[in-house]
Amino acid sequence: GKEPGRAEREEWESLRAAVEGKPVQAYDMNGKYRANDLVEHAVFGLGIVLLVVGPNKMNVFFQSGKKLLRCQ
């Protein structure tokens, strides 16, 4: 099979290309975000919002992997 992480890395590359040129916002847990927003996180670096899931949570895809973060 594929090496672990390779599919995710390819997914990251294609998403990253798709949002090229969009403005990047500093991540703030009190911020409001939508899918495909770009955020800069102090620890994880550049991330792409995949989905806002319910109240105050969103899935963000960082180069190091997907994380669930707080938001408004």
Side-chain angles (χ1 to χ4, degrees), residues 1-35:
K2 283 176 134 181
E3 60 181 283
R6 179 154 165 219
E8 197 160 80
R9 198 161 59 243
E10 286 169 1
E11 187 185 351
W12 163 261
E13 297 293 344
S14 67
L15 263 177
R16 181 71 193 90
V19 295
E20 191 61 59
K22 283 190 76 162
V24 179
Q25 316 172 53
Y27 168 71
D28 175 358
M29 67 184 193
N30 296 313
K32 283 191 185 304
Y33 303 98
R34 292 196 313 225

Side-chain angles (χ1 to χ4, degrees), residues 24-25 27 33 37-41 45-47 49 58 60 62:
V24 179
Q25 316 172 53
Y27 168 71
Y33 303 98
D37 280 354
L38 286 178
V39 296
E40 182 71 39
H41 191 283
L46 183 70
V49 178
M58 63 179 179
V60 183
F62 295 99

